[in-house]
């Protein structure tokens, strides 16, 4: 979306656009007239000006018109119910997911916030069983390799972070990986839990920050999915396994220079969850 200026016939001179614009591209003169100028190309097309204008006076170039908000936001209790009710689903029914339902989720995900409004996230929606199997095999191979490396955790201690060393030296980690590999070899699916759909996010490879935007977007997708009766799960092992695997990226049609930065399962839950599990008490410091 490119901001083109202000429709003076509609503008009431309220100046809300000038207040909201963090790039200070709007100015309000003493006579109450509002002007827009972007001489240095600082506009990120965040759309705050469009969203806040009560007169719909901001002119912009886009393939669609900014949608009007419909109705009031859900109250705190309704929002809390949605957020707490979402579960990481690891048991799916055999029911397939219609394309239209997946598109509803993607529609919400495209409005997720992104750094500098860059909107760099792109997605691969996978229903093809061969491609799902390829990602599953890639993840299992990664786990097998990681299990071998773990044997040398004492030697590797100076070269890995403290948190990673604790993971590598924990006997439970090795046992867990062995159990997953054993289940896979027995014909089970300890990676994607037989989910009928995977959603893979990819972004430009920009170091650690590359994982922030897709994490937010997939969380939007998880909540949207839950609202229409679908279950999801963030698959961290698969993300680690395929994040820098160029062959896997090529199989999925991901261009070079982009990082696979999130893998989410999608399907109808096999079971209905009746309670919110107990969580640790919040740990928060207050600086008043």
């Amino acid at each position: 979306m490119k901001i083109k200026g202000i429709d003076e016939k509609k503008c009431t001179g309220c100046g809300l656009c000038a207040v909201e614009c963090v790039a200070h591209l709007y100015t309000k003169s003493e006579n109450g007239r509002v002007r827009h100028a972007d001489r240095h190309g600082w506009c990120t097309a965040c759309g705050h000006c469009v969203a806040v204008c009560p007169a719909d006076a901001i002119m912009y170039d886009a393939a669609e018109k900014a949608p009007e908000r419909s109705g009031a936001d859900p109250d705190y209790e309704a929002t809390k119910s949605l957020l707490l009710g979402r579960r990481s689903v690891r048991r799916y029914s055999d029911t397939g997911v219609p394309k239209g339902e997946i598109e509803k989720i993607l529609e919400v995900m495209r409005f997720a916030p992104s750094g500098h409004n860059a909107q760099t996230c792109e997605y691969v929606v996978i229903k093809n069983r061969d491609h799902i199997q390829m990602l599953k095999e890639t993840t299992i191979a990664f786990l097998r390799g990681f299990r071998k490396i773990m044997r040398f955790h004492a030697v590797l201690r100076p070269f890995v972070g403290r948190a990673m060393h604790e993971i590598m030296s924990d006997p439970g980690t090795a046992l867990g990986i062995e159990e997953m590999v054993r289940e896979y070899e027995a014909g089970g699916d300890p990676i994607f839990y037989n989910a009928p759909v995977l959603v893979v996010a990819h972004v430009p490879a920009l170091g650690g920050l590359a994982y922030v935007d897709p994490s937010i977007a997939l969380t939007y997708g998880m909540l949207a999915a839950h609202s229409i009766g679908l279950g999801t799960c963030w698959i961290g092992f698969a993300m680690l396994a395929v994040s820098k695997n160029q062959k896997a990226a090529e199989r999925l049609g991901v261009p070079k220079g982009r990082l696979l930065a999130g893998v989410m399962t999608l399907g109808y839950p096999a079971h209905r969850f009746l309670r919110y599990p107990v969580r640790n008490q919040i740990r928060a410091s207050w600086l008043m």
Side-chain angles (χ1 to χ4, degrees):
M1 179 176 70
K2 179 178 177 57
I3 303 299
K4 298 171 64 178
I6 301 173
D7 187 337
E8 294 186 2
K9 294 179 180 179
K10 291 183 178 180
C11 180
T12 63
C14 69
L16 288 176
C17 53
V19 174
E20 279 293 327
C21 182
V22 296
H24 308 295
L25 304 180
Y26 294 88
T27 56
K28 185 176 180 179
S29 63
E30 292 182 359
N31 63 8
R33 301 187 70 178
V34 181
R35 292 284 184 267
H36 171 269
D38 185 12
R39 298 181 181 86
H40 305 291
W42 287 349
C43 180
T44 65
C46 72
H48 272 36
C49 55
V50 174
V52 78
C53 180
D56 193 23
I58 308 300
M59 298 186 297
Y60 52 90
D61 185 13
E64 59 187 336
K65 182 174 175 57
E68 293 272 350
R69 294 188 61 191
S70 58
D73 287 335
D75 61 20
Y76 173 79
E77 291 301 329
T79 303
K80 179 180 177 182
S81 178
L82 172 70
L83 295 173
L84 272 60
R86 192 213 71 84
R87 304 257 53 83
S88 293
V89 174
R90 296 181 177 87
R91 297 291 182 269
Y92 293 94
S93 73
D94 295 331
T95 306
V97 182
K99 183 180 180 182
E101 297 296 271
I102 301 174
E103 289 175 335
K104 288 180 181 178
I105 296 167
L106 295 174
E107 172 67 6
V108 172
M109 290 168 62
R110 80 180 178 109
F111 283 91
S114 58
H116 208 63
N117 192 39
Q119 302 174 59
T120 58
C121 288
E122 296 182 23
Y123 307 95
V124 182
V125 180
I126 308 172
K127 300 181 78 173
N128 181 280
R129 302 311 301 177
D130 290 339
H131 283 83
I132 292 177
Q133 180 63 25
M134 180 271 294
L135 292 179
K136 197 184 306 181
E137 292 173 355
T138 300
T139 306
I140 289 294
F142 167 81
L143 292 174
R144 285 172 173 152
F146 187 67
R147 184 177 56 179
K148 291 179 180 179
I149 294 174
M150 285 175 60
R151 300 170 186 169
F152 307 99
H153 64 84
V155 177
L156 293 172
R157 184 170 184 173
F159 307 101
V160 298
R162 178 178 178 181
M164 177 57 69
H165 181 261
E166 289 180 355
I167 292 172
M168 295 177 69
S169 59
D170 184 353
T173 303
L175 290 173
I177 291 176
E178 288 173 8
E179 178 59 31
M180 293 176 71
V181 172
R182 188 159 44 243
E183 182 180 347
Y184 172 77
E185 292 174 344
D189 183 3
I191 307 301
F192 302 128
Y193 314 107
N194 296 309
V197 181
L198 299 182
V199 179
V200 176
H202 59 92
V203 292
L206 299 173
L209 286 175
Y211 293 96
V212 177
D213 289 349
S215 298
I216 297 171
L218 287 176
T219 299
Y220 265 48
M222 289 176 176
L223 294 170
H226 178 63
S227 74
I228 57 175
L230 284 160
T232 58
C233 188
W234 179 281
I235 310 298
F237 280 130
M239 183 189 75
L240 290 172
V242 305
S243 62
K244 297 179 181 179
N245 190 308
Q246 190 57 44
K247 288 185 178 180
E250 290 174 359
R251 288 283 303 274
L252 298 179
V254 177
K256 288 185 178 180
R258 293 185 66 86
L259 176 73
L260 295 171
V263 181
M264 178 181 81
T265 56
L266 180 66
Y268 289 101
H271 309 113
R272 182 167 176 258
F273 298 95
L274 305 177
R275 296 171 188 82
Y276 309 139
V278 176
R279 292 291 186 259
N280 295 335
Q281 290 298 313
I282 195 74
R283 295 182 291 275
S285 299
W286 294 70
L287 302 177
M288 307 293 284

